[in-house]
Amino acid sequence: MPVSLRTFSLSLTSLCLLLPGDSLRAEDWHATLRAGAASAPRYSGSDERVVAPLVGVEIVCPYGVFLDSSRGLGWGFDEEDFGLSVYVGASDVRKDRKTGFKGSDELNGMGSIKSRPVIGLDGTYHMGPIILGASFEHALEKDDDDHDTGSSWNRLKLSISAPFYEGRYGKVTGGLNSQFGDSNYMRTWYGVSDAQASRSQFRAYKARAGLVSRGADLTWSLPLDEQWSVSTVLAVQYLSQEAADSPIVERRLQTSLAGQVVYTF
């Protein structure tokens, strides 16, 4: 069951209150609010698109404990050359019916992939202006009776990024990435079992572990003052042959565009 934002907030507050009183100075707390919209495929491999609102919050308290609506509750540090964070959050979902900003009717009969607790580890290493990144996620088993959509899975993302421009018009950063998944991940998101094939329009397909996709992104951020800024991200993912051969994949090249207003205090 996904942990609610309310539960995360209470946990974060409790952890911070346990720290020594001298540590809880106002300057040790940082908060970021984000609001915007994104245009993205309805699911990985879909040729349908949806424009959905983006709302996020991140709170960092002393000693690196953080609450991030996109990751969860965790701890991290960021030194001059190296950064590391660990967190517990909730995994992505995929609905087999079009429901609001989620899912697609094309997946009718496939069963919904429900959110489950996820444990994550993110690391970055700076080589001058170049940043190397690695992100690992382990999703816990959701339902041991549903092998198709409830299994635990592991995903690894490797990335490299660097700034292209920084000046009066803000900062532009570009990056490349590759994503890998184990057999449970590939089966959950791209496989079609015999049972799913009998209920849906798709033929059975067994997806093997390995490369999921290669991608690139371009981020432009523009500070308006010390607290306000705007950012735009264009991201492209090209599904690997193993994922692209899945009968649920309608388009191999996946693109998304997001714009946000960011307030930091």
Side-chain angles (χ1 to χ4, degrees):
M1 179 180 296
V3 183
S4 69
L5 185 61
R6 177 184 177 88
T7 303
F8 273 145
S9 300
L10 290 174
S11 301
L12 181 75
T13 303
S14 300
L15 283 172
C16 293
L17 288 176
L18 291 175
L19 298 171
D22 291 343
S23 300
L24 303 182
R25 300 187 302 271
E27 59 267 26
D28 290 330
W29 290 79
H30 304 284
T32 302
L33 305 177
R34 311 180 193 93
S39 172
R42 280 198 163 268
Y43 66 89
S44 180
S46 175
D47 63 359
E48 295 180 272
R49 301 190 66 83
V50 61
V51 177
L54 288 178
V55 179
V57 59
E58 181 182 20
I59 303 171
V60 181
C61 80
Y63 293 106
V65 178
F66 66 82
L67 165 68
D68 189 337
S69 56
S70 63
R71 290 189 295 172
L73 179 66
W75 169 86
F77 73 91
D78 193 2
E79 301 294 341
E80 184 176 346
D81 296 326
F82 179 71
L84 181 69
S85 64
V86 293
Y87 60 90
V88 177
S91 69
D92 290 336
V93 301
R94 189 185 72 191
K95 295 183 179 296
D96 64 353
R97 298 287 179 89
K98 187 180 293 185
T99 307
F101 304 111
K102 300 287 187 178
S104 171
D105 291 340
E106 294 295 315
L107 299 174
N108 186 23
M110 287 291 293
S112 294
I113 302 173
K114 299 178 181 178
S115 182
R116 73 284 310 265
V118 63
I119 301 170
L121 175 66
D122 292 341
T124 57
Y125 181 71
H126 297 249
M127 299 176 58
I130 298 176
I131 301 176
L132 303 178
S135 175
F136 175 79
E137 285 188 341
H138 171 71
L140 303 183
E141 188 174 68
K142 179 65 177 179
D143 187 350
D144 57 6
D145 292 330
D146 193 342
H147 185 67
D148 298 329
T149 62
S151 298
S152 64
W153 49 255
N154 298 297
R155 181 186 68 88
L156 174 67
K157 180 179 180 180
L158 302 177
S159 63
I160 180 171
S161 62
F164 291 161
Y165 166 84
E166 187 168 7
R168 62 177 298 185
Y169 299 109
K171 183 177 182 179
V172 178
T173 303
L176 301 174
N177 63 78
S178 295
Q179 298 190 63
F180 304 85
D182 66 2
S183 58
N184 284 347
Y185 181 91
M186 296 297 289
R187 183 185 65 250
T188 300
W189 295 96
Y190 299 99
V192 181
S193 69
D194 291 336
Q196 289 173 319
S198 68
R199 301 191 303 262
S200 69
Q201 61 174 316
F202 305 113
R203 60 177 172 82
Y205 177 74
K206 183 177 181 180
R208 295 172 296 181
L211 180 66
V212 179
S213 66
R214 297 183 181 91
D217 54 74
L218 194 64
T219 303
W220 171 58
S221 57
L222 176 64
L224 303 178
D225 57 29
E226 292 184 353
Q227 294 180 305
W228 290 92
S229 64
V230 294
S231 67
T232 303
V233 180
L234 172 63
V236 177
Q237 289 290 322
Y238 189 70
L239 296 177
S240 71
Q241 194 66 46
E242 192 67 27
D245 283 346
S246 170
I248 73 169
V249 172
E250 300 168 322
R251 179 171 295 174
R252 190 172 183 179
L253 183 65
Q254 303 280 279
T255 61
S256 60
L257 178 65
Q260 295 186 96
V261 177
V262 182
Y263 177 68
T264 304
F265 59 97

